């Protein structure tokens, strides 16, 4: 399943979502132009789980974690993340406000990094400690969780592939996001102790952080606008 659009219009321009998308695109262009330097700036679990990594100091570690949230491992990785942020981020930002949305996004991203570090430490693959963690997926997982809580009656126009057939259907947003989360948990459980290029536990951690924090960042907001016809 691939989401195309939701049915909840925004009441104001989501400037912060646009800024985050443009920032990720700009950082990706920088990565492509200087791949070695870009990789060197990425966060690694070893920064927290080894004595040598901890010796760099908390400021360096936090800055690396923040930088990694704007980096991506490839063009498809970038496009898929930015597409999800484009579809779901505007409505969440509309309910939270621009600055609270940015704070929420960054906190969920940091929580996602922490979750991946914990699960990497519990794994049996020492080589995973040095694998760079890049991508906005964890922060966007928090946005999905906020959307799940704030817009329970929304639906998502979805492109569905069934063998050789392709069709469009409207899927309840809560079902779409719940299925996505279940796939992340299943992927994380299946990759325990194994090398993997997908930070499933970062997705899980970011999502859970979003569920816990959404009411703090969007308290007592008015009801969402009338869905699109």
């Amino acid at each position: 399943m691939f989401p195309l659009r939701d049915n909840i219009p925004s009441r104001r321009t989501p400037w912060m979502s646009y800024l985050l998308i443009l920032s990720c695109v700009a950082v990706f262009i920088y990565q492509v132009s200087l791949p070695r330097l870009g990789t060197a700036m990425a966060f690694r679990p070893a920064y927290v789980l080894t004595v040598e990594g901890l010796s760099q100091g908390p400021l360096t570690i936090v800055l690396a974690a923040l930088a990694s949230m704007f980096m991506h491992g490839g063009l498809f990785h970038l496009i898929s993340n930015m597409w999800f942020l484009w579809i779901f981020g505007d409505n969440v930002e509309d309910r939270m406000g621009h600055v609270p949305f940015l704070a929420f996004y960054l906190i969920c991203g940091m929580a996602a990094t922490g979750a991946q570090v914990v699960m990497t430490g519990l794994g049996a693959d020492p080589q995973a400690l040095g694998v760079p963690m890049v991508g906005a997926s964890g922060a966007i997982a928090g946005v999905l969780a906020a959307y799940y809580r704030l817009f329970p009656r929304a639906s998502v126009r979805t492109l569905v592939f069934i063998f050789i057939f392709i069709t469009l259907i409207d899927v309840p947003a809560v079902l779409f996001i719940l299925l996505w989360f279940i796939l992340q948990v299943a992927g994380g459980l299946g990759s325990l102790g194994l090398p993997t290029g997908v930070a499933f536990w970062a997705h899980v951690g970011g999502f859970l952080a979003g569920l816990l924090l959404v009411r703090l960042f969007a308290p007592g907001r008015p009801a969402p606008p009338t869905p699109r016809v």
Side-chain angles (χ1 to χ4, degrees):
M1 297 193 303
F2 186 80
L4 298 179
R5 61 176 292 182
D6 68 336
N7 70 333
I8 304 293
S10 296
R11 296 166 296 184
R12 51 185 168 180
T13 304
W15 295 115
M16 199 59 70
S17 295
Y18 293 165
L19 179 61
L20 288 169
I21 291 172
L22 289 175
S23 299
C24 288
V25 172
V27 170
F28 181 74
I29 294 173
Y30 177 77
Q31 283 182 255
V32 173
S33 63
L34 297 169
R36 291 185 178 179
L37 182 58
T39 302
M41 294 173 61
F43 180 86
R44 292 167 170 79
Y47 290 170
V48 176
L49 298 176
T50 64
V51 175
E52 182 180 357
L54 287 171
S55 66
Q56 299 184 70
L59 180 60
T60 300
I61 295 172
V62 170
L63 290 177
L66 287 173
S68 290
M69 291 168 55
F70 294 88
M71 302 168 67
H72 288 83
L75 184 59
F76 178 77
H77 189 202
L78 173 70
I79 291 174
S80 60
N81 275 345
M82 296 304 99
W83 186 253
F84 270 69
L85 181 57
W86 175 272
I87 292 176
F88 299 103
D90 61 333
N91 301 116
V92 176
E93 181 178 346
D94 191 26
R95 292 288 296 275
M96 292 184 176
H98 305 306
V99 175
F101 174 75
L102 176 62
F104 175 83
Y105 181 93
L106 295 176
I107 292 172
C108 288
M110 296 298 287
T113 300
Q116 186 65 30
V117 167
V118 170
M119 298 310 294
T120 300
L122 294 176
D125 182 17
Q127 294 183 350
L129 298 179
V131 176
M133 290 175 54
V134 297
S137 307
I140 295 171
V143 174
L144 288 176
Y147 193 101
Y148 179 89
R149 292 286 302 274
L150 295 174
F151 302 96
R153 295 186 177 88
S155 64
V156 180
R157 177 60 58 92
T158 306
L159 190 65
V160 179
F161 302 89
I162 305 175
F163 300 108
I164 62 173
F165 300 102
I166 301 176
T167 187
L168 286 172
I169 61 173
D170 290 326
V171 179
V174 291
L175 177 60
F176 181 92
I177 295 172
L178 184 60
L179 288 175
W180 177 89
F181 179 70
I182 291 173
L183 288 175
Q184 307 315 304
V185 174
L189 292 174
S191 64
L192 282 176
L194 300 174
T196 177
V198 181
F200 289 109
W201 292 112
H203 303 168
V204 174
F207 189 89
L208 294 178
L211 284 180
L212 293 173
L213 295 172
V214 58
R215 292 304 179 187
L216 179 63
F217 285 85
R221 297 288 178 174
T226 303
R228 300 186 184 99
V229 177

